[in-house]
Amino acid sequence: MRGDAAVPTLFNGNFDAVFNPQGGNRTIFSNAIPGWSFHNGETSASVTTNNLVDVNQLSASDAPALHAELDRIGVDRTKPNYALKLESGKSITHNRFVVPESGTLRFNLHVPNPSGGQLKVSIKGTESTTEEWQDLTPIELTRAANPDTLINPLDPNSLARPNAVGYYDYNVVGYSDPYTNKLAYAEQGFETFHLKIPDNLRDKPALLQFKVEGGSEVYLDDVFFNSVHLKLGNPTFARPSEDTHRENYLIEKPQYSLSYNDATKGPNWVSWQLNKSWLGTIGQGDLKLKDRNKYPPVGFPPPILDSGSGMTLTSPDSSYPPGYFVDYPWSVDPTLPDTWVKTQGPDYRRNQRNFERGHMTAAAERSRTYKDIYSTFLTTNLLPQHEDNNGGMWAQLEDYGRNQLVKDNNRELYIIAGGFDYSPAVPPGHSDLREINNKISTNTQGRVILDSNGTLTPNPKTIGIPNYTWKIIVPLEPGQGIADVTANTQVIAVITPNRRSRETPAPNYRLPDSPSYPNGFLPNGVTNWKNWQQWRVNVDYLEALTGYDFLSNLPEEIQEVIETDSSSPLV
């Protein structure tokens, strides 16, 4: 039985702290679910160990979609994995616990036949007998809109897909997200949901309750206060405080977690898990409408909109009008604080230095549902990357991890990536600009627009460009955790120059100096600029450059070994 950490953030949040829950001896003495059974307010609990189901033993007739999905992603069926089966009208409450000082509430849901209703989640402080239950955002037990659904049945081009990451609603003057708390992957597997906890309950004792209302039946699992994407650590101790952590602001999503820097308008780092369950068949081409005349797609929010009455409506985050065919579906991240300046897709174009909107969490690594792949097109998940970096060694490393490690060898990867060095100093061969500049002009209507013949002008949002990008990959077996990481665990660490490629070898090339590495790294130089393996370094070197504490959840004695390795054999 394992939780989300060495000391679980919620005892028995994965319902595995019980042996043979339907066994005769257990039901004779107690059918209580450890950690969950004693505060339901019932004389005789309606949810007991009889509601625990080993999902790995469900047959194809019991749960056909889940059975097929577990086979597809290569789950080891010999190991038990219990989930709680909750039917309509049933509820379960966790015994009193202390709410962690940080960390989103996350849980996994499988809903085999969504038929409406809600999963109600509530929390209640227990320091005083007068405290009331506080309802969190409910999970709607209905499907998120199919991206191919027609908003207008009479218009074959009015697809619903533009709204999969939410949109700017000009009627209510704010961002709307009608999809995050609806079901997508939950019909075939276990989908992760995140809910925000009231700040006034942090570090205080509380109760937590789940209740199903309506006609749906759900399987609940992995209830914890820690994102799975931060299993190996939070390298900058990021926190979701706009007052104290403006340059280290924690954002936790079901698809990835990140530390956002409002000064550079981009992530310090993005961290995510990758295994077969995240991979599907949706590609970036599926997000595009083939006919340029159909843009903007119905529902996709333009930064500037001309209303029917002739008024110009402007979202608070617009700099330039979009070119929909090239900017869609990049969108503002609505989870950033309302008062912060946010970036839009057009902010990165016409920069005249060949910088692209470079995904940190790749779209191809979140390809199982439209909701997942669209989440990678939020601008908090990008750094400006030179096209030779983004499409060269960076893309090669993505392919190696996704195809060879995950698809071919069924590994579960824990990945973290980011940028380094926004200083005014310009290493040889790098761009002379450390912030995004755009070529702009003023059109006949007096509006500032992006224009290839315009004047190169600093973007007003001061979007930083890193001189280098880096990535760390820790491959594990599916289901493994911190206790399974040993001194022999393979670690891949790279740092790549964010500049154009050199056509000739660079035998004297050096990466930046650091206190621990005064002569830089790559003592043998570079003979093939586009080969990601030639940019391998060790984690210790990346820590010296960035000041971050990577893999901080691992024991120190393990860190000391694997963080100094830069040449472990590759799978």
Side-chain angles (χ1 to χ4, degrees):
M1 186 278 295
R2 293 175 178 168
D4 61 326
V7 178
T9 54
L10 193 72
F11 173 66
N12 198 24
N14 55 7
F15 301 102
D16 289 333
V18 58
F19 174 74
N20 192 16
Q22 280 86 46
N25 289 335
R26 169 164 290 280
T27 55
I28 290 174
F29 295 104
S30 173
N31 60 3
I33 300 174
W36 289 89
S37 299
F38 301 115
H39 288 278
N40 276 354
E42 303 172 357
T43 304
S44 177
S46 60
V47 176
T48 69
T49 54
N50 291 323
N51 294 85
L52 295 180
V53 176
D54 183 355
V55 296
N56 286 342
Q57 297 304 312
L58 289 173
S59 67
S61 57
D62 292 333
L66 180 61
H67 188 274
E69 179 64 4
L70 296 181
D71 279 347
R72 182 186 76 86
I73 64 180
V75 169
D76 183 356
R77 301 292 189 92
T78 65
K79 297 179 180 179
N81 178 24
Y82 289 100
L84 179 73
K85 183 178 180 181
L86 273 181
E87 299 169 327
S88 178
K90 300 294 185 180
S91 68
I92 190 168
T93 304
H94 195 280
N95 300 350
R96 191 168 66 168
F97 66 99
V98 176
V99 180
E101 60 88 18
S102 183
T104 185
L105 171 63
R106 57 108 168 174
F107 50 90
N108 293 340
L109 280 185
H110 173 56
V111 187
N113 297 295
S115 52
Q118 295 180 327
L119 177 68
K120 292 288 191 69
V121 186
S122 306
I123 192 167
K124 175 183 177 182
T126 61
E127 284 190 330
S128 167
T129 57
T130 61
E131 294 194 54
E132 302 288 339
W133 285 101
Q134 299 183 54
D135 292 334
L136 307 182
T137 305
I139 305 302
E140 302 292 335
L141 300 178
T142 55
R143 297 181 183 91
N146 186 320
D148 292 322
T149 300
L150 297 181
I151 296 175
N152 178 359
L154 301 179
D155 180 0
N157 296 303
S158 62
L159 302 180
R161 68 180 58 169
N163 295 337
V165 291
Y167 56 92
Y168 190 82
D169 189 326
Y170 287 92
N171 293 317
V172 301
V173 191
Y175 288 97
S176 176
D177 179 7
Y179 300 98
T180 293
N181 289 327
K182 290 185 179 180
L183 309 177
Y185 181 66
E187 282 193 75
Q188 63 191 98
F190 277 86
E191 181 176 359
T192 300
F193 292 88
H194 284 186
L195 295 181
K196 180 178 173 57
I197 295 296
D199 290 337
N200 68 310
L201 292 180
R202 294 291 182 183
D203 283 326
K204 295 182 179 179
L207 303 176
L208 181 67
Q209 184 180 85
F210 292 84
K211 182 178 182 180
V212 175
E213 294 184 353
S216 299
E217 175 183 275
V218 309
Y219 292 84
L220 175 68
D221 202 3
D222 295 325
V223 184
F224 294 115
F225 286 87
N226 185 26
S227 169
V228 69
H229 308 302
L230 298 177
K231 178 178 286 189
L232 300 186
N234 177 336
T236 58
F237 206 66
R239 290 293 183 265
S241 170
E242 58 183 293
D243 296 325
T244 62
H245 286 68
R246 191 165 187 133
E247 296 181 9
N248 187 24
Y249 186 79
L250 180 64
I251 297 176
E252 295 180 276
K253 300 181 182 296
Q255 296 83 9
Y256 51 86
S257 295
L258 64 95
S259 163
Y260 183 79
N261 191 322
D262 185 52
T264 60
K265 297 295 183 290
N268 296 311
W269 50 261
V270 182
S271 186
W272 67 101
Q273 176 201 65
L274 179 60
N275 55 36
K276 282 187 176 180
S277 74
W278 289 104
L279 302 180
T281 59
I282 302 171
Q284 292 195 44
D286 297 317
L287 310 184
K288 296 287 188 181
L289 301 179
K290 307 307 179 186
D291 186 348
R292 288 176 180 264
N293 295 322
K294 304 304 181 185
Y295 283 80
V298 174
F300 186 69
I304 297 176
L305 177 73
D306 290 326
S307 68
S309 62
M311 294 177 60
T312 297
L313 305 175
T314 304
S315 87
D317 308 303
S318 61
S319 291
Y320 313 114
Y324 292 105
F325 200 73
V326 289
D327 291 324
Y328 174 76
W330 286 105
S331 182
V332 165
D333 189 337
T335 61
L336 287 173
D338 292 339
T339 58
W340 289 14
V341 174
K342 306 172 184 68
T343 60
Q344 294 264 18
D347 284 311
Y348 302 85
R349 286 196 297 110
R350 298 293 184 199
N351 59 70
Q352 305 311 112
R353 294 297 188 274
N354 299 313
F355 285 100
E356 300 177 336
R357 293 167 292 207
H359 284 84
M360 293 293 97
T361 303
E365 295 174 1
R366 291 294 181 262
S367 57
R368 68 186 184 188
T369 70
Y370 280 91
K371 185 163 69 169
D372 291 327
I373 194 170
Y374 271 113
S375 75
T376 69
F377 285 90
L378 298 175
T379 56
T380 50
N381 181 47
L382 77 81
L383 285 175
Q385 283 185 282
H386 193 278
E387 61 184 8
D388 286 357
N389 180 22
N390 191 33
M393 49 275 208
W394 196 262
Q396 287 184 8
L397 180 54
E398 286 179 346
D399 289 343
Y400 171 77
R402 181 173 60 254
N403 294 321
Q404 190 161 339
L405 293 181
V406 177
K407 289 184 179 179
D408 295 344
N409 289 278
N410 196 26
R411 295 295 186 90
E412 182 170 275
L413 310 184
Y414 289 88
I415 308 171
I416 185 166
F420 167 69
D421 187 13
Y422 294 83
S423 67
V426 181
H430 288 241
S431 168
D432 58 327
L433 301 177
R434 300 276 33 91
E435 294 178 352
I436 289 290
N437 282 235
N438 311 95
K439 275 208 161 186
I440 61 174
S441 65
T442 303
N443 66 12
T444 55
Q445 287 78 40
R447 181 177 297 171
V448 176
I449 61 171
L450 294 168
D451 181 357
S452 59
N453 296 316
T455 302
L456 193 63
T457 306
N459 187 287
K461 297 176 183 177
T462 61
I463 303 168
I465 302 173
N467 273 317
Y468 303 90
T469 50
W470 53 264
K471 179 177 283 190
I472 298 169
I473 301 176
V474 181
L476 301 177
E477 299 294 334
Q480 286 188 332
I482 291 172
D484 300 294
V485 180
T486 71
N488 296 320
T489 297
Q490 175 195 47
V491 175
I492 299 171
V494 301
I495 183 170
T496 59
N498 196 20
R499 51 158 286 183
R500 70 182 187 279
S501 296
R502 288 186 57 147
E503 298 299 326
T504 57
N508 298 318
Y509 186 85
R510 294 291 184 273
L511 287 168
D513 297 343
S514 74
S516 302
Y517 298 86
N519 296 317
F521 218 93
L522 304 180
N524 298 321
V526 180
T527 58
N528 184 344
W529 194 272
K530 295 184 179 181
N531 182 351
W532 70 264
Q533 295 190 39
Q534 298 209 353
W535 299 102
R536 289 188 70 181
V537 295
N538 61 34
V539 175
D540 187 55
Y541 172 67
L542 294 181
E543 288 184 330
L545 289 182
T546 62
Y548 301 166
D549 185 9
F550 298 115
L551 314 182
S552 57
N553 284 351
L554 299 180
E556 287 288 344
E557 61 272 19
I558 300 297
Q559 290 187 56
E560 289 176 2
V561 176
I562 65 176
E563 289 188 358
T564 57
D565 178 28
S566 62
S567 58
S568 57
L570 300 175
V571 172

